[in-house]
Amino acid sequence: MGVVANLIPIKFPMPVERLAPEPPDPVEPYAALDLGTNSCRMLIAQPKGNQFHVIDSFSKPVQLGYRLESRRNLSRGSMERALNALRICRMKLDRHGVRRMRLVATEACRQATNGGEFLELVRRETGLQLEIIDPQEEARLAVVSCAPLVSTRTRRLLVIDIGGGSTELVWIDLTSVPHADRPRAIMRLHSGFKPVNSPFPHAKVVDWKSVQLGVATLCDKFGDVEDDAGKFALMSCHFEEKLTDFMPYDEFHERGGFQIIGTSGTVTTVAASHLGLRRYDRNRIDGLRMTSDQIGRVIRAYLRLGPEGRRRDPRIGRDRHVLIMSGVAILHALLRTWPTDLLSVADRGLREGLLYAQMYADGVLEDGPY
């Protein structure tokens, strides 16, 4: 006689349908914070067409990398200055209810032996989670920020970003990209310097370099030189020596279709001096084109002013007068290396690149001509 087992039906759970990710609100604010060697800067913005609209900003010199060249450590005073600035940033983020943000630190925290410890202190004291980005990402984001300033006639592009602790150089070939698509091709570099599978023609990054000399570190290196003009010459020559392994150093010969875009406080300060502005006006600076002769005249005027005259000049400002000569020494070396008739001035940089990259990835920017 067979044994019939009592079969107990097994109930399987009903499959749970995965919820689609909530699409980003097209007017939700985004934030980008850049804690650099010299300054702490933040932008809060909303997407608007294929650009963004800034609703709040913050910028304060903190000199985080003060004497980092010799000490290799962030000093207690510089960390406290940066913490105070970051507390203000936290209040602004809370006030605007920002949920989508990217907060980064650059060369000073990369080089300092206690950079990681400092960012942990920042997290405990302010709740802000900063990440140290590598030089290539810093260079890439600076390039992306300049996309709206790229001419449709540009065949080869050099983007220079003069920071406090380092200077990023990116050499880009646009010859295979249709004229009208060249600014958009620069924007697509937000995902990396190497092209991804895409139906669109891509900008080719021929070479890039991060020189570990910026306005603060170069100034520190020659801090014991008292002669103003001699110090400028030494700084410029020293920086040029660091460029010789950058691919286009010896190979560039043609001027046609070549564009240099400079993004930094140094470049915008030189532009303000050139225009004789009494009050800084971003609308007149961003996108301005200056000839190498015009830049040379500004540099010579700075040398005639001397340290005390530069300190009193309202276009330079008391926060920047100590570092402006190391900045223009870098700019002078670059223009001597790549002679060009025009430099495009960009009042934009890492913060703008961070915003563009976030918004582009979220699909909240419209696709259209810049």
Side-chain angles (χ1 to χ4, degrees):
M1 182 171 143
V3 179
V4 179
N6 292 328
L7 299 177
I8 302 173
I10 300 174
K11 293 183 178 180
F12 291 96
M14 293 293 289
V16 177
E17 184 177 351
R18 289 190 177 182
L19 296 176
E22 183 182 346
D25 185 339
V27 295
E28 182 173 1
Y30 287 71
L33 186 148
D34 167 20
L35 179 61
T37 302
N38 196 50
S39 300
C40 175
R41 294 174 290 188
M42 183 177 72
L43 285 178
I44 300 176
Q46 293 171 313
K48 185 177 181 181
N50 59 9
Q51 302 282 322
F52 53 76
H53 168 66
V54 175
I55 58 177
D56 204 348
S57 64
F58 175 79
S59 180
K60 187 172 182 61
V62 294
Q63 296 180 307
L64 183 61
Y66 179 67
R67 293 190 176 174
L68 183 60
E69 182 74 22
S70 55
R71 293 177 177 174
R72 311 311 300 169
N73 265 331
L74 303 176
S75 70
R76 186 168 297 179
S78 62
M79 288 192 289
E80 189 57 41
R81 287 191 298 271
L83 268 173
N84 288 335
L86 290 166
R87 290 186 182 105
I88 298 172
C89 292
R90 178 58 194 257
M91 286 190 293
K92 286 178 174 284
L93 291 168
D94 290 345
R95 184 187 309 152
H96 292 283
V98 180
R99 295 185 305 161
R100 297 177 182 274
M101 66 186 81
R102 191 154 182 223
L103 319 175
V104 305
T106 56
E107 189 66 20
C109 289
R110 280 197 296 260
Q111 293 297 320
T113 56
N114 60 344
E117 296 172 23
F118 170 62
L119 294 191
E120 176 57 27
L121 175 65
V122 169
R123 188 192 63 78
R124 292 198 308 267
E125 293 285 327
T126 69
L128 298 178
Q129 190 78 44
L130 274 69
E131 59 177 309
I132 300 174
I133 59 172
D134 62 39
Q136 183 176 118
E137 184 168 12
E138 184 177 357
R140 175 166 53 81
L141 290 166
V143 168
V144 166
S145 75
C146 295
L149 301 182
V150 174
S151 168
T152 56
R153 298 188 299 273
T154 297
R155 293 167 55 83
R156 290 177 178 84
L157 174 68
L158 176 65
V159 176
I160 58 175
D161 180 18
I162 305 172
S166 64
T167 299
E168 274 61 53
L169 308 170
V170 186
W171 181 262
I172 302 168
D173 187 344
L174 290 163
T175 52
S176 64
V177 180
H179 289 260
D181 199 42
R182 287 175 182 176
R184 254 194 314 273
I186 296 298
M187 180 66 75
R188 294 187 192 110
L189 291 173
H190 79 91
S191 59
F193 278 164
K194 292 185 178 180
V196 295
N197 293 330
S198 169
F200 304 106
H202 63 269
K204 180 183 178 184
V205 176
V206 179
D207 197 11
W208 75 277
K209 181 176 178 66
S210 180
V211 181
Q212 290 185 352
L213 288 171
V215 294
T217 46
L218 185 60
C219 183
D220 285 350
K221 188 173 283 290
F222 292 91
D224 57 344
V225 180
E226 295 184 2
D227 181 72
D228 198 40
K231 183 176 179 178
F232 168 78
L234 286 171
M235 289 190 295
S236 186
C237 290
H238 182 71
F239 186 85
E240 187 175 346
E241 289 173 1
K242 305 296 181 181
L243 304 177
T244 53
D245 61 343
F246 186 49
M247 185 175 292
Y249 184 83
D250 291 320
E251 296 183 5
F252 173 67
H253 301 292
E254 62 178 276
R255 290 194 180 193
F258 173 51
Q259 182 181 7
I260 293 184
I261 298 180
T263 167
S264 69
T266 294
V267 177
T268 56
T269 300
V270 169
S273 295
H274 164 64
L275 294 175
L277 299 182
R278 289 196 167 272
R279 184 182 296 274
Y280 189 83
D281 184 351
R282 184 181 188 274
N283 291 328
R284 294 186 63 185
I285 297 294
D286 190 46
L288 176 73
R289 293 193 170 190
M290 297 181 65
T291 67
S292 53
D293 287 342
Q294 290 168 335
I295 294 169
R297 283 197 289 272
V298 171
I299 293 174
R300 289 191 293 273
Y302 287 169
L303 287 168
R304 286 195 299 271
L305 282 172
E308 184 58 29
R310 294 192 294 270
R311 189 182 68 83
R312 294 195 304 265
D313 190 310
R315 288 167 290 271
I316 299 173
R318 292 178 178 244
D319 292 336
R320 191 172 294 278
H321 80 278
V322 173
L323 302 176
I324 189 61
M325 292 314 295
S326 52
V328 295
I330 292 171
L331 185 59
H332 182 256
L334 292 166
L335 293 178
R336 189 169 62 238
T337 304
W338 293 284
T340 181
D341 297 328
L342 292 171
L343 170 77
S344 299
V345 178
D347 185 356
R348 51 186 68 221
L350 181 55
R351 292 175 302 166
E352 288 82 0
L354 287 163
L355 286 173
Y356 277 130
Q358 290 179 84
M359 293 177 183
Y360 200 97
D362 284 352
V364 294
L365 291 180
E366 295 176 7
D367 194 16
Y370 288 98

